[in-house]
Amino acid sequence: MRKAFICPTKYVQGENELLNLGYFVSTFGKTALLIAHKDDVARVKEQLQQTAEQYGISFVESGFSGECSRKEVARLQQVAKDNNCDCTIGLGGGKAIDTSKCVAEGEALIIVPTIAATDAPTSHSAVLYTEEGSFDDYAYFKQSPSVVLIDTTIISKAPTRFLVSGMGDALSTYFEARATSAAYANVNAGLPCGFREKKCGEAKSTKTALALAKLCYHTLLEDGVSAKHACDKNQVTKALENIIEANILLSGLGFESGGLAAAHAIHDGLTLFEGTHKYYHGEKVAFGTIVQLVLENAPKTELDEVLNFCLSVGLPVCLNDIGIDSYTEDELKLAAEKACIPEESIHSMPFPVTTEAVVAAIVTADSIGKDFKKKMERNHEKTNQ
């Protein structure tokens, strides 16, 4: 059996760590292409100037358009070439990070997230969009980023909703990795570089990936609530440090080397509902995780544990919570069909999944989530009387 595990060359996390960015640039050379939205650059301008002076390096600002498109990637590769850049930096959120991966193509890449909203920073994959913002393709590169640099001080000052969304994305990691392992399904870690249509690698998950995914889940349960309170007050605590690590590193390694399953596929299907578009990826994945647990008939104690965690940190537990206030049978069927297309990760579940089964699981999960939410509200009212 062929197994695979992939990870960044170096992961560094700490307070005010952005001040050391210049050092990591200097390990490649003197000049770095900086791919970041202008607002993110403005937030950390002082730290960038300080680290550049301290380590004798320079940043080439790219005028990033904000969209990870093939045209923008080609433009930025030319900017890097014209300025003899020794490495590429992706600083900010998902689009800047994915664009930097495409520009670097697996070489000399430093990722600096300014929010902990997803587990994408550590991965060797990216999502390409058209210039108008529609989905184009997935891209995979020969290796993960050379350096992932996490400044917890900066992340603590970002809106708490980003951190909570990251917990929603991380919540699915263990359950999807567990399903993938049970099914002996393939994981992304074994893929060669190239675009999705060129994929030919097949590999199964390792025990290492499943262990990291499980640790991710336990960390969320132990530190999620405390980390949320810390972020509300823009404070870096041990709990916040642990959750940032869970959201980015543990979840990142867990999803890429452990595998995706129903939760992310159901997320993809539910995006057909326009009401979901104002909600973040991780928020929708959290509900997708609940649907997956219903789909596999998970023990009630496990489902209740997940529901309780979601409510404790403010993650969705029903369709209303992700902007779906009403739906028709046909609309729900279309969403389920999208979740079940041949290339979706739902087929990594350890049993055959049908459109009808997904519809039933969504409706049931919605009902269970609503009832659980009402029950917790009643208990809260009794406690306060």
Side-chain angles (χ1 to χ4, degrees):
M1 182 187 298
R2 182 174 186 254
K3 296 184 177 183
F5 184 88
I6 191 168
C7 62
T9 305
K10 187 181 291 289
Y11 177 93
V12 181
Q13 173 183 314
E15 295 178 69
N16 300 309
E17 196 59 47
L18 187 58
L19 296 176
N20 291 320
L21 176 59
Y23 163 76
F24 293 106
V25 171
S26 71
T27 64
F28 298 107
K30 291 291 185 181
T31 307
L33 176 67
L34 179 63
I35 299 175
H37 190 276
K38 62 180 181 180
D39 292 342
D40 287 316
V41 175
R43 283 176 61 199
V44 297
K45 193 74 174 179
E46 184 178 336
Q47 293 97 317
L48 291 176
Q49 290 175 342
Q50 187 173 334
T51 194
E53 292 172 5
Q54 181 177 356
Y55 293 100
I57 58 94
S58 62
F59 299 110
V60 175
E61 294 196 25
S62 60
F64 175 49
S65 71
E67 193 55 79
C68 183
S69 67
R70 294 174 192 260
K71 183 177 180 180
E72 179 68 349
V73 168
R75 183 187 73 81
L76 292 172
Q77 287 176 330
Q78 189 61 49
V79 171
K81 183 178 180 180
D82 291 345
N83 290 274
N84 296 311
C85 293
D86 301 299
C87 63
T88 304
I89 299 169
L91 182 149
K95 291 292 180 75
I97 288 172
D98 275 3
T99 303
S100 69
K101 291 177 185 179
C102 294
V103 170
E105 295 183 332
E107 298 283 356
L109 174 62
I110 303 173
I111 299 295
V112 187
T114 55
I115 55 176
T118 72
D119 51 19
T122 65
S123 78
H124 77 310
S125 59
V127 183
L128 281 158
Y129 295 86
T130 66
E131 292 173 62
E132 294 74 32
S134 299
F135 172 78
D136 180 3
D137 203 354
Y138 294 107
Y140 299 86
F141 303 101
K142 64 181 181 180
Q143 62 189 32
S144 296
S146 306
V147 180
V148 178
L149 188 67
I150 312 293
D151 189 321
T152 53
T153 304
I154 291 171
I155 290 176
S156 73
K157 291 178 169 58
T160 304
R161 186 180 171 189
F162 287 124
L163 185 80
V164 172
S165 175
M167 286 193 260
D169 201 18
L171 177 63
S172 72
T173 305
Y174 169 60
F175 300 109
E176 293 189 285
R178 181 178 71 180
T180 300
S181 177
Y184 292 96
N186 294 324
V187 297
N188 284 348
L191 297 175
C193 58
F195 296 112
R196 182 170 58 174
E197 63 267 18
K198 299 177 183 177
K199 292 194 302 186
C200 59
E202 288 189 359
K204 313 303 177 185
S205 65
T206 59
K207 292 185 70 174
T208 300
L210 186 58
L212 291 173
K214 192 170 186 177
L215 176 60
C216 179
Y217 179 57
H218 288 312
T219 302
L220 293 175
L221 296 181
E222 291 170 4
D223 293 315
V225 174
S226 181
K228 179 181 182 297
H229 285 292
C231 198
D232 283 339
K233 300 299 181 181
N234 305 126
Q235 300 299 309
V236 178
T237 63
K238 190 168 184 178
L240 181 63
E241 292 271 9
N242 289 344
I243 290 300
I244 291 170
E245 181 181 342
N247 284 7
I248 297 175
L249 181 61
L250 293 176
S251 184
L253 302 183
F255 101 80
E256 191 162 44
S257 293
L260 299 177
H264 272 78
I266 289 161
H267 159 279
D268 294 345
L270 291 174
T271 59
L272 290 180
F273 289 93
E274 188 175 348
T276 66
H277 297 175
K278 61 187 176 186
Y279 291 87
Y280 295 149
H281 172 80
E283 293 171 332
K284 290 174 281 191
V285 169
F287 180 68
T289 302
I290 297 168
V291 177
Q292 176 176 319
L293 292 174
V294 171
L295 185 67
E296 61 189 4
N297 197 27
K300 184 178 183 300
T301 52
E302 187 173 73
L303 182 56
D304 285 352
E305 184 176 67
V306 169
L307 287 165
N308 187 64
F309 170 75
C310 287
L311 289 177
S312 71
V313 297
L315 284 168
V317 297
C318 60
L319 291 172
N320 292 114
D321 292 345
I322 55 171
I324 304 176
D325 299 322
S326 63
Y327 58 83
T328 66
E329 287 186 20
D330 287 343
E331 287 173 332
L332 205 57
K333 185 179 179 182
L334 285 173
E337 287 173 348
K338 180 176 173 63
C340 292
I341 60 175
E343 58 267 35
E344 265 294 1
S345 57
I346 202 164
H347 302 295
S348 291
M349 296 297 291
F351 49 81
V353 179
T354 64
T355 298
E356 293 75 18
V358 172
V359 169
I362 293 173
V363 172
T364 304
D366 179 49
S367 179
I368 291 172
K370 285 178 178 175
D371 284 351
F372 195 89
K373 194 174 185 179
K374 289 177 183 176
K375 175 184 169 184
M376 296 299 289
E377 289 171 351
R378 286 195 298 269
N379 290 342
H380 182 71
E381 288 172 1
K382 289 179 181 178
T383 302
N384 291 335
Q385 285 179 352

